Amino acid sequence: MLSEKEIAKKLLAINAIKLQPESPFTWASGRKSPIYCDNRMTLSHPAIRNDIKTTLAESARTAFGEFDLVAGVATAGIPHGVLVAEALDLPFIYVRSSTKKHGARNRIEGDPTQGDKCLVVEDLISTGGSCLEAVDVLREAEYDVAGVIAIFTYGFEDAKSNFAKNNCEFRTISNYKALLSAALEMDYLTEDQLESLSEWSQNPIAWSDSFEK
């Protein structure tokens, strides 16, 4: 099982995470951000994919104990959820972002009879909104949600608050703090860039607003 910093280094090495404080990305919300995270990149790198699979699986067992089913959050959580289910030799289901418009009109795909207590797998935790929506869907279907495991989190207070309000525990195998430490060790950042990135994590809205002025 790899450490948070080791996972961060691997994500940086394959550009699954990019840091551009001087030329920020624009998120779907319209906000400017110095970081872009695309954990789907890891699927194309077998050695890193295996490290993440193993670390997710072992971290989930350590954090949440026993569960008998793995549920992925569509869409990015599906492949990593399958990998975790395979590592633990457990059944897998996934939660759609919306109800299927044809056929059986399912929101949850897979065989619902294969377990009651499930681990939810997501790729990235930002504010937790889409993931917690999936948790609600599973609970409404009378699944016992053990918790959520994800690859990376920005560490926003909103996420911690949202998960607490929904009485749902979550863990990640890497995070923004570990990322900045890893990036410095890899000479990926200058001290000025680190300062800007630290300011963003403390107040991303103000950082975005100031950048746009």
Side-chain angles (χ1 to χ4, degrees):
M1 184 167 71
L2 299 184
S3 69
E4 295 171 341
K5 187 185 293 186
E6 288 170 327
I7 292 292
K9 286 182 176 180
K10 291 181 181 293
L11 296 176
L12 284 168
I14 61 171
N15 287 323
I17 289 181
K18 296 179 181 179
L19 298 171
Q20 295 180 188
E22 294 92 356
S23 180
F25 303 94
T26 302
W27 282 0
S29 63
R31 293 289 180 182
K32 299 293 184 181
S33 168
I35 181 172
Y36 182 75
C37 182
D38 182 5
N39 290 318
R40 288 166 293 197
M41 290 281 289
T42 64
L43 301 170
S44 299
H45 298 265
I48 294 175
R49 183 179 69 209
N50 188 63
D51 286 336
I52 287 175
K53 173 183 73 173
T54 301
T55 304
L56 282 171
E58 293 182 5
S59 297
R61 281 298 194 207
T62 299
F64 306 119
E66 294 298 317
F67 43 85
D68 47 25
L69 187 69
V70 176
V73 179
T75 60
I78 294 175
H80 297 293
V82 170
L83 291 170
V84 171
E86 180 180 337
L88 297 173
D89 194 27
L90 291 176
F92 176 78
I93 59 176
Y94 71 88
V95 183
R96 288 178 170 272
S97 56
S98 60
T99 303
K100 190 175 179 180
K101 302 300 182 183
H102 57 278
R105 301 181 183 273
N106 293 331
R107 184 76 187 270
I108 299 172
E109 298 288 3
D111 186 346
T113 69
Q114 295 304 300
D116 298 314
K117 188 171 186 178
C118 66
L119 170 76
V120 177
V121 178
E122 179 64 292
D123 77 317
L124 172 68
I125 301 293
S126 179
T127 61
S130 59
C131 183
L132 287 168
E133 183 179 343
V135 168
D136 286 343
V137 170
L138 290 164
R139 286 173 170 169
E140 287 172 6
E142 299 186 348
Y143 288 98
D144 178 9
V145 175
V148 173
I149 190 84
I151 298 173
F152 190 80
T153 179
Y154 298 122
F156 293 153
E157 287 300 321
D158 282 354
K160 298 173 186 177
S161 175
N162 289 337
F163 274 90
K165 287 177 184 176
N166 283 270
N167 193 29
C168 182
E169 291 189 58
F170 79 99
R171 299 287 187 280
T172 61
I173 60 173
S174 192
N175 55 65
Y176 193 73
K177 182 179 179 180
L179 173 71
L180 295 188
S181 179
L184 271 179
E185 288 185 9
M186 296 168 69
D187 293 325
Y188 195 99
L189 296 175
T190 66
E191 290 293 340
D192 286 344
Q193 289 173 323
L194 176 63
E195 182 179 354
S196 180
L197 288 160
S198 297
E199 290 173 356
W200 174 79
S201 69
Q202 293 167 15
N203 195 332
I205 294 176
W207 189 96
S208 175
D209 290 343
S210 66
F211 192 91
E212 292 175 343
K213 291 179 181 178

